[in-house]
Amino acid sequence: MPRFLHLADLHLGRIFHGESLIEDQVHLLDQVMTRAGENPPDAVLLSGDIYDRAFPPVDAVKLFDSFLTSLADAGITVVAIPGNHDSAGRMAYASGAWEKIGVHIRADYLRLEDPVTVMARDGVEFDIFALPFVETAVLRQFLTGIGSGGDEGDDIPGGDKISLVRAAVNRIRTVRTTNRSAVLMAHEFVTGSIESGSERLYVGGSQSIPSELFEGFDYVALGHIHGTQRAGDEIIRYAGSLMAYAFDEAARPKGYLEVILDSSQLYPEVNFHPLTPLRPLEVLEDSLENLLRNPEYDRCRQSYVSARVTDSLSHMNLIGRLRDRFPYLRELRQTALEAVVSDDSQSPSAIETPESVLSDFLDRAGWEEGNDRTMAESLLTESLLAEADT
Ligand SMILES: [Mn+2]
């Protein structure tokens, strides 16, 4: 029976509170590779947001390179689509050559109706259709016919995101072969799913897609939402992100889905496989005394820590003392003091760092989350690091 792994929202090259997560990401993809090597699936599906930004750092590009190379060496078919964080144009680099060794990077809409057909180990074939993240202007132009001068076609009423996705998926439906299982990949916010801290802002302004539009496939492999979940239907699923990218996701398991298409069953078998993070995220809310002394927190010395100090008095050198105890302290809040100042403060963040000042500024200037904003933030981080080095 066809068996594949569904991953999404890798966000390679992500910066977390000013620090690179590349070691963590190497650690996680190594686990995926080890397990895929021991029990090779027929395919690995990567449902968008491969990178965290359109201009990913070199170590992120190297990591994706080695991951794809290892999968190709193991003879595993790969299908990847860009998400809203990726530059579709850059992801498409050398995709024609990759394709010859079973790595299918579907970065544009030209091949919507041309599935990747995979032969499972038992000889059963199945089709994987790929809908890259929908850039409405680009998809509209594609669906209305290239060179038509951008007039909206009769089949795309309004031409808004929902109509465009409906039109694109309908095209795919008309070509799917009924005697073969068909999987659809997409990177969208689908109604019926729950948002979390690390992707909330990205979806704030964009339209969500009713899950009914994705019906009629044997499985829909979604990316975009960082918590693993169903999207209104048993077989329309988010794999969730590779790791927790925000402290409000600290308690959620992260990993990937294994999907087995059993045509004798109503639904495919879907198993969640958690990954072990290099450094888990921990939110610790307590008095300073307890945070520093309580042996219960010894286990967090190697974790990324958000310390929420409950004391109503401020302390000298709070960051330094907490960092001695928790070397990977990434966020510090003084919850009691926040309550006092919250009347005249917009920001919930208690420490004013250059990053938080920039982030506040960008919020007020109305810059939405996206590549420009990520770039502004990383430029600041880089210049701060350069300053610290000199
Ligand atoms: Mn996304």
Side-chain angles (χ1 to χ4, degrees), residues 175-254:
V175 295
R176 72 159 289 194
T177 331
T178 44
N179 59 2
R180 270 210 292 257
S181 294
V183 176
L184 174 65
M185 298 169 70
H187 188 95
E188 299 297 333
F189 182 45
V190 177
T191 311
S193 38
I194 306 157
E195 302 163 48
S196 75
S198 62
E199 87 282 336
R200 181 178 300 133
L201 291 163
Y202 307 100
V203 299
S206 66
Q207 268 180 302
S208 63
I209 312 296
S211 59
E212 301 87 73
L213 296 200
F214 294 110
E215 280 170 7
F217 294 88
D218 296 286
Y219 183 80
V220 181
L222 292 174
H224 201 37
I225 302 292
H226 287 189
T228 180
Q229 60 191 280
R230 294 169 180 79
D233 192 292
E234 190 66 31
I235 52 148
I236 304 176
R237 300 260 192 155
Y238 285 99
S241 54
L242 187 65
M243 59 177 286
Y245 288 118
F247 279 110
D248 74 352
E249 296 177 76
R252 295 202 203 169
K254 296 291 179 177

Side-chain angles (χ1 to χ4, degrees), residues 156 278 312 325 365 386:
I156 311 169
L278 183 63
S312 51
R325 171 111 163 106

Side-chain angles (χ1 to χ4, degrees), residues 107-113 131-136 138-139 142:
D108 58 44
Y109 308 116
L110 296 171
R111 297 173 74 188
L112 276 183
E113 295 150 277
L131 174 63
F133 173 71
V134 170
E135 302 265 14
T136 47
V138 184
L139 182 58
F142 171 75

Side-chain angles (χ1 to χ4, degrees), residues 145-159:
I146 294 153
S148 71
D151 291 342
E152 280 170 19
D154 297 335
D155 60 331
I156 311 169

Side-chain angles (χ1 to χ4, degrees), residues 2-7 36 39-46 71 75-79 102 104 116-121 126 128 183 185 257-259:
R3 179 176 154 272
F4 61 88
L5 308 185
H6 167 201
L7 288 82
N39 183 16
D42 298 307
V44 169
L45 277 51
L46 306 172
L71 290 169
I76 300 166
T77 298
V78 180
V79 188
H104 304 264
V116 175
T117 300
V118 181
M119 165 95 75
R121 266 147 241 282
F126 66 110
I128 302 169
V183 176
M185 298 169 70
L257 298 171
E258 172 196 40
V259 182

Side-chain angles (χ1 to χ4, degrees), residues 313-325:
L313 291 170
S314 50
H315 294 276
M316 294 291 287
N317 190 22
L318 197 53
I319 295 185
R321 291 161 77 185
L322 282 164
R323 196 161 273 156
D324 283 344
R325 171 111 163 106

